[in-house]
Amino acid sequence: GESVGLHLPTLSVQEGDNSIINCAYSNSASDYFIWYKQESGKGPQFIIDIRSNMDKRQGQRVTVLLNKTVKHLSLQIAATQPGDSAVYFCAENNNDMRFGAGTRLTVKP
Amino acid sequence: DAMVIQNPRYQVTQFGKPVTLSCSQTLNHNVMYWYQQKSSQAPKLLFHYYDKDFNNEADTPDNFQSRRPNTSFCFLDIRSPGLGDAAMYLCATSREPGTGLHGYTFGSGTRLTVV
């Protein structure tokens, strides 16, 4: 079946570096995507979203890129900080929210 | 602040003993969802209520049921918990089903342990 998934289960970066977290989706009809951050013991927290009529969207220190040709989504975090350490999920939102497998980001001091 | 509140944060129940998890929201959202999240896995949708209409996922076990007595509250009932039901249970809300602004609002979850 069609699903949303992530390329890498873990990512370790140095504090201050930029982070890139990737996501592949297979449902070409998907038109809305969301990145969530989940810290240990907490529920997912909205980071940024993008609709399929856009290629790029920027927030504060975060950028989401959407490549519809290859059905790929990425989250870029600039100047990664220790507080960014968490699991990041991409999600596809049509009639309900379907999550990918998640990537655990660890920021080294 | 408007939010989604789950109680309790941690719940321990005995194998086979019915347990109920609760969720309340002050957002006045029409839709409430229950997700199950096992360790190191993505949240998995169990079911949702759109107002009073209940929508069950096809692969949600019969052991899981839900009630929504009013707009603000939604309950997850596990009739006979097994060891495999130990997980974090997340409640979420959205104003409307489908493509909602900023996605869903999640509670902090209830971590269920079955002994």
Side-chain angles (χ1 to χ4, degrees), chain B residues 25-78:
Chain B
Q25 55 129 341
T26 59
L27 298 159
N28 203 32
H29 281 173
N30 291 316
V31 195
M32 295 186 77
Y33 308 82
W34 280 104
Y35 284 82
Q36 179 192 63
Q37 186 178 25
K38 296 189 176 181
S39 181
S40 299
Q41 296 184 20
K44 180 181 179 298
L45 181 64
L46 295 174
F47 28 57
H48 74 273
Y49 269 97
Y50 180 20
D51 195 11
K52 295 181 180 179
D53 293 332
F54 179 70
N55 298 271
N56 199 33
E57 291 297 297
D59 57 354
T60 297
D62 293 340
N63 196 30
F64 292 87
Q65 296 179 338
S66 186
R67 296 171 285 132
R68 189 179 186 187
N70 53 53
T71 300
S72 300
F73 285 87
C74 194
F75 301 99
L76 170 62
D77 300 311
I78 308 177

Side-chain angles (χ1 to χ4, degrees), chain A residues 36 38 41 51 94 97-98 100, chain B residues 9 37 42 57 98-99 104:
Chain A
Y36 283 95
Q38 187 175 25
R51 296 192 181 274
N94 288 317
M97 189 79 69
R98 304 286 173 174
Chain B
R9 288 295 306 277
Q37 186 178 25
E57 291 297 297
T99 305
Y104 299 175

Side-chain angles (χ1 to χ4, degrees), chain B residues 10-11 22 31 38 41 83 87 96-97 105 109 114:
Chain B
Y10 301 93
Q11 176 74 56
S22 72
V31 195
K38 296 189 176 181
Q41 296 184 20
L83 298 178
E96 294 294 330
T105 301
V114 181

Side-chain angles (χ1 to χ4, degrees), chain A residues 31-32 34 36 38 40-47 49 51 57 87 89 93-102 104, chain B residues 9-10 33 35 37 40-45 48 57 88 90 97-109 111:
Chain A
D31 61 0
Y32 183 54
I34 301 168
Y36 283 95
Q38 187 175 25
S40 180
K42 297 183 179 180
Q45 178 185 7
F46 171 89
I47 300 175
D49 58 359
R51 296 192 181 274
R57 189 153 191 244
V87 177
F89 294 99
N93 191 355
N94 288 317
N95 291 320
D96 50 52
M97 189 79 69
R98 304 286 173 174
F99 286 86
R104 181 174 299 280
Chain B
R9 288 295 306 277
Y10 301 93
Y33 308 82
Y35 284 82
Q37 186 178 25
S40 299
Q41 296 184 20
K44 180 181 179 298
L45 181 64
H48 74 273
E57 291 297 297
M88 173 78 85
L90 294 163
T99 305
L101 180 65
H102 288 180
Y104 299 175
T105 301
F106 283 86
S108 295
R111 182 165 296 282

